[in-house]
Amino acid sequence: MREARTQVEITLPGEMRHRKMPAITGVERELAARTAYSSARNEWRKHTDPEIP
């Protein structure tokens, strides 16, 4: 989660300014980080070998 939060903190403010959107709240930042983390986890799982019982 720490990496997802860091990526959101680095990327989102500039993107919001570029799109002329208002800054997001702390709650919205946390939701964005959790969404990014979940997406990355799901993508990672697609590329791992299933465990063989």
Side-chain angles (χ1 to χ4, degrees), residues 1 3-8 29-43:
M1 274 300 295
E3 185 176 349
R5 284 185 185 105
T6 300
Q7 288 301 317
V8 166
R29 248 190 325 276
E30 183 64 17
L31 179 58
R34 290 180 182 276
T35 301
Y37 180 81
S38 177
S39 178
R41 185 183 60 231
N42 290 338
E43 194 61 31

Side-chain angles (χ1 to χ4, degrees), residues 40-51:
R41 185 183 60 231
N42 290 338
E43 194 61 31
W44 177 77
R45 286 180 177 164
K46 286 184 198 176
H47 300 285
T48 59
D49 294 329
E51 288 187 28

Side-chain angles (χ1 to χ4, degrees), residues 11-40:
T11 307
L12 210 50
E15 187 64 29
M16 299 297 284
R17 278 192 303 276
H18 175 74
R19 294 178 184 216
K20 296 182 171 116
M21 297 174 73
I24 61 174
T25 66
V27 171
E28 291 168 326
R29 248 190 325 276
E30 183 64 17
L31 179 58
R34 290 180 182 276
T35 301
Y37 180 81
S38 177
S39 178

